Amino acid sequence: MRKRSRYFAREELKKSGYKVTPARTAIIDLLSNSKKHLSAEDIFLKIHNISPNIGLTTVYRTLEVLVETGMVCKLDFGDRRARYEFSQGIEKEKHHHHLVCTNCNRIIDYTDFIEDEIELLKKTEKGLSKKYKFEIKNHIIQFYGLCNECRKKII
Amino acid sequence: MRKRSRYFAREELKKSGYKVTPARTAIIDLLSNSKKHLSAEDIFLKIHNISPNIGLTTVYRTLEVLVETGMVCKLDFGDRRARYEFSQGIEKEKHHHHLVCTNCNRIIDYTDFIEDEIELLKKTEKGLSKKYKFEIKNHIIQFYGLCNECRKKII
DNA sequence: ATTGTAAATGAAAATCATTTTCAATAATCA
DNA sequence: TGATTATTGAAAATGATTTTCATTTACAAT
């Protein structure tokens, strides 16, 4: 499983003219095994335990490359720190959207209602591409509000 | 028209226990007359022409307050600089979503397909609130990709 | 109107995620 | 096995946003 995504990633990098390096492999491995939305620093720290010679700068640069090839999604939850996760469809990742608590910054992934959402999105995407001659590559749907705990606390 | 939104804003501020100050009034006036998604600095500069004594810090603080009361939406288009716009429904603002060009950062507002989107969103929101006991206050839908010009340029 | 008090403000400094610079190193291809 | 070019790490720079702190102001109570 890990090997498969690693192989996939190698090919994907080469296809885009990038070199396959230890840093890139390590970050791909980490992300492909992680369920969460990790920040660049999260990734740096985890990698650091295994390969202390990979710097934070390289993590940023690698993430940029991975986003560019479409292997990784860059997410923004409103705190000013980007999060990264493996794109849907690379493994058997389920497509999901996010609920973001504006108080505690907790993120809930949901897959409920996704089918309807996807269907609508496809339709919308098609219409928009045509009307605005826009080549749509990605979308974001996020709901912001208060999670159960924070709702109680704040009252 | 301007007076109406100013009056509305006064009440809204008081209701939340905030004081009505010149800086707040000025920023509300500006945003309520502006169609665009302005950054804090954009707002600061425009206001500065009229009231040179209002500082950038105050602009940031005021925007925070306005977002908190729900009068203003804070938007994130992926460059690392927040944009602000008057919330739908305060005036006769049309609800819209955004197309973001990842190359030139151009933003296109679209209202097409909005009815269907809104309907689906309402349904989804209801379902999610119930399942996750989440109090949803806001949502974001954005499509990322290449605008017509950039599509041609990059090839 | 006047005043007391907490909230709001401006300027300057601090923060902190992300980028840039630059010299050194490593991945690929002939 | 080199040659060539991309990649890298460390340190410095950047730049939007926040914090600090002393001063001013809005407004409720007098």
Side-chain angles (χ1 to χ4, degrees), chain A residues 107-119:
Chain A
I107 313 294
I108 298 175
D109 298 355
Y110 71 91
T111 51
D112 319 82
F113 317 103
I114 280 288
E115 293 76 15
D116 286 351
E117 279 185 13
I118 302 286
E119 199 184 326

Side-chain angles (χ1 to χ4, degrees), chain B residues 4-20 24-25 27-29 31-32 34 62-74 84-91 93 137-138:
Chain B
R4 259 199 48 201
S5 70
R6 197 187 290 182
Y7 178 76
F8 174 82
R10 281 183 80 86
E11 297 310 306
E12 209 58 27
L13 283 173
K14 285 185 182 172
K15 201 164 66 185
S16 305
Y18 291 111
K19 292 179 177 171
V20 177
R24 286 170 184 169
T25 307
I27 291 174
I28 287 163
D29 278 358
L31 282 176
S32 71
S34 165
T62 300
L63 288 169
E64 198 182 356
V65 165
L66 296 179
V67 168
E68 212 243 14
T69 64
M71 279 187 277
V72 166
C73 281
K74 186 177 183 179
Y84 300 85
E85 68 182 32
F86 236 46
S87 293
Q88 43 140 171
I90 287 188
E91 285 285 308
E93 296 297 322
K137 296 202 166 172
N138 216 332

